[in-house]
Amino acid sequence: MSRTLEVVAPAKVNLHLAVGDVRPDGYHTVCTVLHTLELADVLRVSEAPLDSFVCSPHLGLAPEENLAFRAARAMEEQFGRRGGLAIRIEKRIPAGAGLGGASTDAAAVVVALAALWGIPRDSLLLRDVARSLGADVPFFIQGGAALFRERGDVLEKRLTPVDLPVVLVKPDAPVPTGQAYAAFDLLSALCPQSAVLPDALIAALQSGDPEGVALHLHNSMIGSSATIVPAIADVLEYLSGSAGVLGFSMAGSGSACYALCRTDADARCCAAEAASRGYWSVATRTRATGCEARELPQ
């Protein structure tokens, strides 16, 4: 009988996101500190006589347009495997939010197939597949907290995760990543930004100082993304005035925003109030690991 793996694929937030100039390859230089969350998609992956791919709820994409499906094909090509695969994704991470939903699903498929095929999780070939799929995909294989540079896909340093309640709040409209970076380039040309370094944030993480972490959150994409989805500014203003919030920022290029909170009760109250205002919201926590697979009983 074929083995079936269930994989937890966590969301992420950017505790720090500093975007620089456009590189010769067309991508921007990025310095980012990523942290995984308990909010997660759940995937089931198994070898099967025929290919099947189901995403629930449906995102309106053909299978070949879904990054998780492309991850399966990339793994087959890299490791010379042929045969059917059955992949089912239960989506809990909203799309177009900057929370890494597509990237974590792709990483989950990489992790699952590596486990099914007996490939070490620290294989350099596995890392190459992950990097080929997108800047955030390598991060989700290990998760926790980490500093990435270059396109945001080159690990510079693993960091000590922080343990904190988190509330996520998202306007209805998504932020297309390409539009966000185009707006960033336009705003930067009109009003150049000073570089913000993650040193103080990293020091707070390494010393286990949650309030220091919250104090040094940074995202240089907020202004540009808010020109595309103005409600981002409204969400950040709401979070800034909410009880129990230690610090707040935006996830990736948005449109989801987040706050680090003092207590789980504070995060739940903040999420409930945001929902009453018509926003998608959820209370969650930071997470110290990335994609995790377990074999289901046959």
Side-chain angles (χ1 to χ4, degrees):
M1 295 180 66
S2 65
R3 300 160 60 203
T4 299
L5 296 184
E6 183 176 83
V7 192
V8 174
K12 61 84 180 168
V13 290
N14 303 71
L15 302 180
H16 180 91
L17 177 58
V19 179
D21 296 332
V22 179
R23 296 155 39 109
D25 62 6
Y27 292 92
H28 289 74
T29 58
V30 170
C31 172
T32 188
V33 175
L34 301 171
H35 205 302
T36 40
L37 302 176
E38 289 295 339
L39 174 68
D41 292 343
V42 178
L43 287 80
R44 289 193 176 189
V45 181
S46 60
E47 294 183 304
L50 297 173
D51 283 334
S52 67
F53 185 89
V54 177
C55 182
S56 179
H58 195 273
L59 300 179
L61 300 174
E64 58 271 15
E65 296 176 300
N66 191 296
L67 196 61
F69 181 92
R70 288 159 51 194
R73 289 292 179 256
M75 286 288 287
E76 289 174 335
E77 183 175 346
Q78 179 70 275
F79 295 101
R81 306 288 296 218
R82 293 294 181 269
L85 292 172
I87 299 173
R88 182 177 185 88
I89 306 174
E90 295 179 17
K91 291 294 296 178
R92 300 170 186 174
I93 304 169
L99 296 169
S103 295
T104 194
D105 292 347
V109 170
V110 169
V111 166
L113 294 182
L116 287 172
W117 298 343
I119 300 163
R121 194 151 169 166
D122 60 356
S123 164
L124 294 180
L125 292 177
L126 211 64
R127 181 201 64 186
D128 290 343
V129 171
R131 287 188 65 188
S132 74
L133 294 164
D136 290 341
V137 179
F139 165 69
F140 285 112
I141 293 178
Q142 296 296 328
L147 170 65
F148 283 80
R149 292 192 187 271
E150 295 196 17
R151 293 191 305 146
D153 63 340
V154 175
L155 175 65
E156 179 166 310
K157 186 177 183 180
R158 297 207 61 79
L159 304 170
T160 303
V162 68
D163 183 22
L164 276 173
V166 179
V167 60
L168 302 172
V169 181
K170 188 185 85 67
D172 286 339
V175 175
T177 303
Q179 289 185 30
Y181 277 89
F184 175 84
D185 290 338
L186 179 60
L187 287 178
S188 296
L190 296 173
C191 183
Q193 297 186 29
S194 300
V196 176
L197 299 176
D199 299 8
L201 172 70
I202 291 171
L205 283 168
Q206 301 302 75
S207 64
D209 175 12
E211 293 193 4
V213 171
L215 181 64
H216 295 291
L217 302 176
H218 171 73
N219 189 328
S220 61
M221 295 291 293
I222 290 174
S224 52
S225 293
T227 66
I228 300 168
V229 179
I232 288 172
D234 298 331
V235 170
L236 291 172
E237 183 178 3
Y238 162 68
L239 291 175
S240 72
S242 296
V245 166
L246 297 173
F248 58 94
S249 189
M250 184 178 73
S253 57
S255 61
C257 302
Y258 70 92
L260 306 181
C261 299
R262 292 188 183 278
T263 68
D264 290 305
D266 289 331
R268 289 192 297 269
C269 287
C270 188
E273 173 62 22
S276 73
R277 295 174 179 226
Y279 298 120
W280 175 91
S281 61
V282 67
T284 183
R285 290 189 68 89
T286 53
R287 176 186 177 95
T289 57
C291 293
E292 292 187 333
R294 69 181 185 98
E295 189 165 348
L296 298 178
Q298 295 185 356

